[in-house]
Amino acid sequence: MRLFRRLTRKDSLVGRLIRLASVWFIFSLVITGIALTAYFHQAALQRFQLNVKQIADNLYADTDIDHSGKVVTPPFFDTRTNRVYSGLYWQVSEIDAKGAISDAARSRSLWNEHIPIPATTLGEAKARIGEGVFYDSIGPEGEPLRVAAVYSKIDGRAFVFLAAEDRAPMDKDVRRFALITAAALIVLALGSLVAIFIQVRVGLRPLFDLTDEIAHIQGGTQQRLLKSYPAEITPVATQLNAFLDYSQEVVERQRMHVGNLAHALKTPLAVLMASAGSQDGELPEIMRKQAETMRAQVDHHLRRARAAARSQALGERTPVEPVLDELAVMLEQVFQDKGVIIDWRTPDDLAFRGEKQDLQEIAGNLLENASIWCRKKVRITAEFNPVDQSMSLAIEDDGPGLDEARFDEVLKRGARLDESVPGSGLGLSIVDELVRAYGGTLTFGKSQIGGLKVLAKLPANLDGAAA
């Protein structure tokens, strides 16, 4: 069923091709069924007309006029012509000089009825003397008739020789043939569609397996392609694994360079801080402040570089629930004197597609900021969006909130909500840059519990779900 859903997706090229081929195949079968039925109907009608035409020709050839002017018809050995309303009839009608038609002779099967002939058909028969024409009519008991009419003259007198037979049995045979043909073609269509589906299922299964493995790699549940693939797909799988190895190697190398740079910069800064020591004076104070600023900037940019490197790595994933639980417990202890209560909610199987350290940095800074400004209550809610495989991390507090005009201002590096509150003002800026490094967004709004609401959108997936 999963494969069927994939093939029936509107954006599936294979699915579109299969649907197009199926429609064309069914259309071809319908046309074939109609053509076969039409051919059988025509062949059956020709065979049916042959018998009727033979009776009309016998009438035309053997009818005579005796010395008294009476029309004499030949004998017929088909007993149906002697049985009333049997379904087989013949009739000889004479046409006078004024064009009036009168029955000169008829079969006993007609009893007191007669076979009508339309004027247009009579005109066509006159134009084809001795050849005969066919038309449909209604019999004595309302049965459908196929009639053969032959026009000729005997001793100067004009006659039309009619032979008719009930065509209901023939029509029934045609309908039976149409039903049998339709049933056979439907069975053929179903069998062919099943065969196509089985072929596609077997043939494309490795491609869908490859897609699933790539999704698992993006979701962080595996690091490499692990399955064996047919010879046609093996080169692709090999190249993808090579690319994954290269990507991991590049990320590790970036991490190593960032770490080396951190050590290289922090050591001179530590020397400057130690040199300034606790000496009094303007110069030591300037050195201490500038060294602290440089250390904060180094930490900020190194953190940003690490986040950028980690965001490029495939396969990283961090369960959200334990991180939020750990942060909530820690911050409730930190703000114990204030009595802060942190209410956190998240799906059990929600996972952040990134490293744990970055999720802690993002959620931790936002929760700490909310704990500083709240009165008592902080709420953090994580929700999964399956449409774009992301999660929304909403942090709300019941504090004084923030004017909408300052929403953009607080994301600037070094900006602070209140100068009287301790801090460097880098927290929200760091969070914003980390979120952007993962391709997410950070927005502000009004909280339902009275204060500020910060909404971070980050890449995520559910455990066991394709990314």
Side-chain angles (χ1 to χ4, degrees):
M1 291 300 296
R2 185 178 181 184
L3 177 61
F4 178 77
R5 288 195 298 269
R6 286 185 173 186
L7 293 179
T8 52
R9 285 171 50 186
K10 291 183 178 181
D11 58 347
S12 170
L13 175 60
V14 176
R16 288 199 296 267
L17 292 176
I18 291 176
R19 289 193 294 271
L20 180 61
S22 300
V23 170
W24 175 252
F25 180 68
I26 293 174
F27 175 75
S28 301
L29 288 181
V30 171
I31 296 301
T32 301
I34 294 174
L36 286 174
T37 303
Y39 176 78
F40 179 82
H41 177 267
Q42 187 63 28
L45 185 61
Q46 288 179 354
R47 290 195 303 270
F48 185 79
Q49 289 180 161
L50 185 62
N51 182 54
V52 180
K53 180 64 165 50
Q54 187 175 5
I55 296 175
D57 286 342
N58 289 340
L59 281 172
Y60 160 64
D62 297 332
T63 297
D64 201 358
I65 301 175
D66 62 12
H67 62 278
S68 63
K70 183 180 179 182
V71 174
V72 179
T73 58
F76 287 90
F77 298 100
D78 194 329
T79 57
R80 288 182 297 167
T81 59
N82 296 321
R83 192 168 64 248
V84 178
Y85 303 154
S86 64
L88 181 62
Y89 315 104
W90 60 263
Q91 176 180 298
V92 179
S93 299
E94 185 175 359
I95 306 172
D96 62 19
K98 295 181 179 181
I101 302 176
S102 61
D103 295 342
R106 67 168 70 95
S107 66
R108 182 175 177 78
S109 57
L110 273 174
W111 197 240
N112 292 325
E113 302 292 335
H114 72 282
I115 304 171
I117 178 170
T120 54
T121 305
L122 181 59
E124 185 180 353
K126 287 180 178 180
R128 302 170 60 185
I129 297 176
E131 294 183 11
V133 294
F134 297 94
Y135 68 96
D136 292 320
S137 185
I138 302 298
E141 292 191 320
E143 71 271 30
L145 298 179
R146 188 64 174 172
V147 185
V150 179
Y151 176 84
S152 184
K153 289 184 177 182
I154 303 175
D155 296 339
R157 295 164 63 179
F159 294 93
V160 58
F161 304 93
L162 302 175
E165 187 174 357
D166 184 3
R167 61 176 294 168
M170 183 204 71
D171 293 338
K172 184 177 180 181
D173 289 340
V174 173
R175 288 194 296 270
R176 183 184 296 111
F177 176 84
L179 290 175
I180 293 174
T181 302
L185 292 178
I186 288 173
V187 172
L188 176 61
L190 292 177
S192 300
L193 292 177
V194 170
I196 292 173
F197 182 79
I198 291 175
Q199 288 178 346
V200 170
R201 181 182 179 86
V202 174
L204 296 183
R205 181 75 266 175
L207 289 178
F208 289 122
D209 289 342
L210 181 63
T211 303
D212 290 338
E213 284 210 276
I214 293 175
H216 289 314
I217 291 173
Q218 290 177 325
T221 56
Q222 65 185 67
Q223 300 292 328
R224 293 171 52 83
L225 301 176
L226 304 176
K227 293 185 178 180
S228 299
Y229 293 98
E232 295 82 0
I233 306 178
T234 297
V236 177
T238 302
Q239 291 299 320
L240 282 174
N241 275 332
F243 171 75
L244 292 171
D245 292 339
Y246 175 75
S247 175
Q248 187 66 29
E249 181 183 348
V250 169
V251 170
E252 292 298 332
R253 190 159 53 240
Q254 288 177 340
R255 288 178 178 175
M256 182 182 66
H257 290 331
V258 167
N260 292 339
L261 180 60
H263 287 294
L265 291 175
K266 285 184 176 180
T267 299
L269 287 175
V271 172
L272 288 175
M273 292 289 292
S275 299
S278 57
Q279 298 180 16
D280 296 329
E282 183 178 355
L283 181 59
E285 182 65 22
I286 292 175
M287 289 180 62
R288 282 193 295 271
K289 287 184 177 181
Q290 292 302 315
E292 287 291 345
T293 302
M294 290 173 65
R295 175 180 290 175
Q297 293 296 326
V298 167
D299 289 341
H300 163 67
H301 287 289
L302 290 179
R303 188 184 297 109
R304 182 178 178 183
R306 285 195 299 269
R310 287 194 293 264
S311 67
Q312 296 173 5
L314 296 173
E316 300 288 353
R317 59 180 300 280
T318 301
V320 176
E321 182 180 13
V323 171
L324 297 187
D325 184 44
E326 178 183 347
L327 289 173
V329 171
M330 180 185 68
L331 289 173
E332 283 180 348
Q333 292 178 351
V334 171
F335 293 93
Q336 185 176 6
D337 295 341
K338 189 177 180 180
V340 172
I341 300 174
I342 299 178
D343 177 22
W344 60 271
R345 305 170 187 177
T346 180
D348 295 340
D349 53 354
L350 182 62
F352 165 62
R353 296 212 316 260
E355 288 202 351
K356 180 178 180 180
Q357 180 181 345
D358 294 330
L359 181 60
Q360 289 175 329
E361 188 91 33
I362 294 170
N365 273 292
L366 295 177
L367 280 175
E368 182 180 7
N369 186 72
S371 299
I372 292 173
W373 290 98
C374 74
R375 293 184 176 90
K376 290 290 183 181
K377 186 175 181 180
V378 175
R379 183 169 67 193
I380 177 169
T381 306
E383 296 179 343
F384 179 67
N385 183 4
V387 176
D388 57 0
Q389 296 289 307
S390 68
M391 73 171 180
S392 58
L393 197 65
I395 295 89
E396 303 173 80
D397 64 70
D398 61 350
L402 183 67
D403 292 337
E404 293 185 10
R406 298 195 62 194
F407 283 173
D408 293 333
E409 177 187 343
V410 296
L411 293 181
K412 295 179 182 179
R413 185 163 55 88
R416 294 165 60 183
L417 299 177
D418 191 340
E419 294 296 331
S420 64
V421 177
S424 64
L426 293 175
L428 289 177
S429 175
I430 291 172
V431 170
D432 184 50
E433 290 182 351
L434 277 174
V435 170
R436 290 178 184 275
Y438 279 96
T441 56
L442 189 68
T443 55
F444 297 90
K446 297 292 184 180
S447 170
Q448 293 182 352
I449 58 177
L452 179 66
K453 177 181 179 179
V454 183
L455 184 65
K457 186 176 181 180
L458 297 166
N461 65 275
L462 299 178
D463 287 346

